[in-house]
Amino acid sequence: MAKFAKKKDGDLPAVSTASLPDIVFMLLFFFMTVTTMKDSSLLVENTLPNATEIKKLEKKDRVIYIYVGKPTQDYQKVFGTEPKIQLNDKFANVDEVGSYILAERAKKPQELQNVLTTALKVDRDANMGLIADIKQQLREVNALKVNYTTYEGNAFNNLQ
Amino acid sequence: MARNNEIPEVNAGSMADIAFLLLIFFLVTTTIQTDVGIDRKLPPKDTTPPVQIPEKNIFRVSLNKNNELFVEDDLLPVEELRKVAIAFLDNGGAKQNDDGYCNYCKGERNSKSSDSPTDAIIAFNSDREASYGSYVEVQNELTAAYNALRNREAQRLFNKDFVDMEKNYYDAKTPIDVKQELKKQIKQIRDMYPMKLSEAQTTFNL
């Protein structure tokens, strides 16, 4: 009976990799759901200041972002080195902030329109005059909830 | 000749590779970040007519264009601001029999400083040339002063930190009945030390 020679018991059976795609898909779906694509690329330098007494800015759908800082290297030739405001994907002047907020507010669902927060992402080297002007604009359009976005860290390092 | 009528099975061996490729793409592009920051509420546009507030109830903080901090017209290192602000807020200068008397204050009860935390106002002005970094620094220290006092009272009354109470309140996982309880407690603490931080133009009445 040499024909049906018994298999040798020595070698281990190969581990089935059939479920590997399932595992990978599971991970894939996890990352797909938690991913948020950056919707605007930064045109300004944006080193946020540090603070310790902070609160989380949750529920991204209720937030309108305003970026302030000096233009990045590529744009400095055209726009200079004075801090500028960035709304969505372009530079803007102070007097455009109000209409931007109104436009963004109109895009949100009705029930969220009263609970929107404006996140000010301002470079630590920007000067307060510009921020004061922005705040005045926000008051004009009744967008009173603001969040000075910061990093978590020791606030005394802000001036270095 | 052996004919093969069955549909050949698609080789799914490379499925894992494709999925891995996608996985790696999303891994790289993912940024799981929640923004953090200091919350503030701006005053409404239609400003109320100027009100007369006794000078002793106003704590004047200002930043000049060289990012130097002045408190009541004296230069002060930022590191000291928290301590000085707490001393001002917690002063409780009103007399024992006045209506504004603050029975939970632990301050010096100096009659030249604020009457009670509910009357005390911090007026913060910054020069247009001051940097945003130092502005946030000052805002942070003033918030810390309020939080320290609120924490103290929350510890005394409810045996927990005010900051933790707020965090629990905003946490979606907290049950509703707990939230209602927390809301009441938070309001109580906030009424004891209301955050009266004004950035409006305040004028001296000399």
Side-chain angles (χ1 to χ4, degrees):
Chain A
M1 295 301 164
K3 206 174 178 184
F4 299 106
K6 234 185 172 182
K7 263 192 178 173
K8 273 185 189 165
D9 276 331
D11 48 343
L12 287 163
V15 177
S16 166
T17 54
S19 56
L20 190 60
D22 301 348
I23 297 164
V24 174
F25 266 116
M26 200 174 68
L27 283 168
L28 174 64
F29 288 139
F30 169 72
F31 281 101
M32 277 177 73
T33 45
V34 299
T35 297
T36 48
M37 298 277 182
K38 261 194 183 164
D39 47 12
S40 56
S41 56
L42 279 177
L43 309 176
V44 293
E45 281 179 22
N46 213 233
T47 321
L48 303 176
N50 293 322
T52 48
E53 310 296 316
I54 47 177
K55 284 184 191 149
K56 267 191 193 151
L57 190 58
E58 271 162 317
K59 294 175 183 153
K60 289 230 161 81
D61 53 338
R62 300 180 185 185
V63 180
I64 301 170
Y65 294 95
I66 294 177
Y67 299 90
V68 181
K70 59 180 179 192
T72 47
Q73 296 237 298
D74 308 347
Y75 295 96
Q76 280 188 1
K77 272 183 201 143
V78 190
F79 294 100
T81 53
E82 275 298 297
K84 298 276 284 178
I85 304 169
Q86 182 192 346
L87 305 173
N88 278 339
D89 268 334
K90 52 184 189 295
F91 290 111
N93 290 323
V94 177
D95 47 5
E96 290 167 62
V97 171
S99 52
Y100 168 75
I101 296 286
L102 291 178
E104 287 292 308
R105 190 188 284 165
K107 277 187 215 161
K108 307 275 181 193
Q110 189 103 49
E111 65 271 19
L112 295 184
Q113 290 188 357
N114 290 324
V115 292
L116 295 176
T117 306
T118 312
L120 293 171
K121 292 192 159 189
V122 183
D123 190 274
R124 62 176 68 166
D125 294 325
N127 50 33
M128 277 310 296
L130 189 57
I131 314 299
D133 293 343
I134 293 173
K135 286 201 286 194
Q136 189 56 38
Q137 282 279 318
L138 293 178
R139 287 175 64 190
E140 300 276 329
V141 295
N142 215 29
L144 300 178
K145 271 167 82 174
V146 295
N147 178 288
Y148 302 113
T149 309
T150 59
Y151 296 133
E152 190 168 4
N154 186 355
F156 298 127
N157 298 335
N158 277 353
L159 293 176
Q160 282 148 32
Chain B
M1 209 161 64
R3 276 180 59 196
N4 191 355
N5 280 336
E6 289 167 51
I7 303 164
E9 208 173 302
V10 177
N11 182 9
S14 54
M15 177 98 94
D17 300 352
I18 298 165
F20 262 120
L21 197 82
L22 283 167
L23 173 63
I24 289 163
F25 169 73
F26 280 102
L27 262 173
V28 172
T29 54
T30 298
T31 46
I32 308 178
Q33 50 135 3
T34 42
D35 287 329
V36 294
I38 301 174
D39 279 327
R40 279 287 177 275
K41 198 145 197 224
L42 302 176
K45 194 177 87 184
D46 41 335
T47 44
T48 45
V51 268
Q52 294 279 326
I53 299 161
E55 190 58 37
K56 63 174 179 177
N57 280 335
I58 304 179
F59 183 70
R60 292 181 190 277
V61 183
S62 58
L63 270 176
N64 74 359
K65 64 176 180 180
N66 299 324
N67 297 324
E68 289 161 334
L69 180 73
F70 286 83
V71 171
E72 308 281 15
D73 297 329
D74 294 321
L75 194 60
L76 189 85
V78 188
E79 288 81 2
E80 307 267 306
L81 177 62
R82 190 185 304 200
K83 210 176 70 205
V84 179
I86 288 177
F88 166 77
L89 291 170
D90 206 25
N91 178 56
K95 297 261 160 28
Q96 190 120 28
N97 300 323
D98 293 354
D99 2 318
Y101 180 70
C102 165
N103 53 9
Y104 48 86
C105 292
K106 295 198 169 71
E108 289 177 3
R109 309 217 173 259
N110 180 351
S111 60
K112 297 228 170 57
S113 187
S114 76
D115 282 337
S116 74
T118 44
D119 294 318
I121 292 175
I122 296 184
F124 177 27
N125 274 305
S126 54
D127 191 273
R128 288 185 71 87
E129 296 279 303
S131 85
Y132 181 70
S134 50
Y135 172 81
V136 165
E137 195 176 339
V138 172
Q139 285 277 11
N140 187 54
E141 289 311 297
L142 294 176
T143 317
Y146 277 106
N147 278 347
L149 290 169
R150 286 171 168 185
N151 277 345
R152 192 189 75 196
E153 288 309 306
Q155 278 292 356
R156 184 169 68 86
L157 293 171
F158 311 117
N159 277 327
K160 45 197 167 185
D161 265 2
F162 179 77
V163 179
D164 293 339
M165 282 160 67
E166 268 192 332
K167 203 185 280 170
N168 279 337
Y169 180 69
Y170 288 114
D171 191 352
K173 289 195 280 292
T174 314
I176 289 175
D177 48 330
V178 179
K179 270 194 181 180
Q180 271 166 350
E181 184 67 17
L182 273 174
K183 190 175 183 178
K184 250 187 272 164
Q185 297 178 348
I186 289 174
K187 185 164 184 309
Q188 189 184 340
I189 300 285
R190 277 191 184 158
D191 288 344
M192 290 167 93
Y193 287 103
M195 192 179 241
K196 293 190 174 174
L197 185 59
S198 157
E199 288 178 55
Q201 276 302 323
T202 46
T203 47
F204 295 91
N205 34 5
L206 296 168

